[in-house]
Amino acid sequence: MSENQSVEAHQFIRDELADLPSIVYFPILFKHLGLKSVDAAYRRFERGTLGVCVRDIGGRLAVLKVDLATFLTNGEPQEQPRLSKKKIKNPNGRKGKAWVASC
């Protein structure tokens, strides 16, 4: 890729991402990665083949606009930090533990 093509590619990415917020959630993200649906993006994330670094922000999966721009520019997969699921406050659900009558 020549220098001129590289500059054009960077400008294209800048133009494409200009209207995005700084935190990009999956319902918007999949379009910019060229995927067909949100579900496809989630499946790629679960398999570890999404490429861009995903973070847990406010209990939702998202990427930073900066990480997305970097990934689209160089195409190199980014390191994915280990995300842990939140502990369930009440594992028995909203109504609590099922009551069992003893005879």
Side-chain angles (χ1 to χ4, degrees), residues 86-98:
K86 292 182 179 182
K87 293 182 180 179
I88 299 172
K89 291 180 182 177
N90 183 359
N92 297 315
R94 209 175 94 208
K95 297 185 179 188
K97 201 168 194 176

Side-chain angles (χ1 to χ4, degrees), residues 57-94:
I57 301 175
R60 295 174 60 193
L61 296 177
V63 300
L64 297 179
K65 183 177 177 178
V66 173
D67 291 338
L68 179 59
T70 303
F71 174 70
L72 293 175
T73 301
N74 64 19
E76 295 178 17
Q78 299 171 352
E79 187 175 329
Q80 179 62 49
R82 194 121 173 99
L83 298 178
S84 60
K85 292 187 177 183
K86 292 182 179 182
K87 293 182 180 179
I88 299 172
K89 291 180 182 177
N90 183 359
N92 297 315
R94 209 175 94 208

Side-chain angles (χ1 to χ4, degrees), residues 24-27 42 45 54-57 59-63 83:
V24 183
Y25 293 99
F26 272 59
Y42 281 114
F45 168 68
V54 177
R55 302 165 194 272
D56 180 359
I57 301 175
R60 295 174 60 193
L61 296 177
V63 300
L83 298 178

Side-chain angles (χ1 to χ4, degrees), residues 16-17 20 24-26 28-37 40-42 44-45 49-54 63 67-69 71-72:
E16 182 180 341
L17 302 181
L20 289 179
V24 183
Y25 293 99
F26 272 59
I28 297 172
L29 174 67
F30 79 94
K31 298 173 193 171
H32 297 284
L33 292 176
L35 301 173
K36 293 183 180 182
S37 68
Y42 281 114
R44 284 243 183 129
F45 168 68
T49 60
L50 191 60
V52 66
C53 179
V54 177
V63 300
D67 291 338
L68 179 59
F71 174 70
L72 293 175

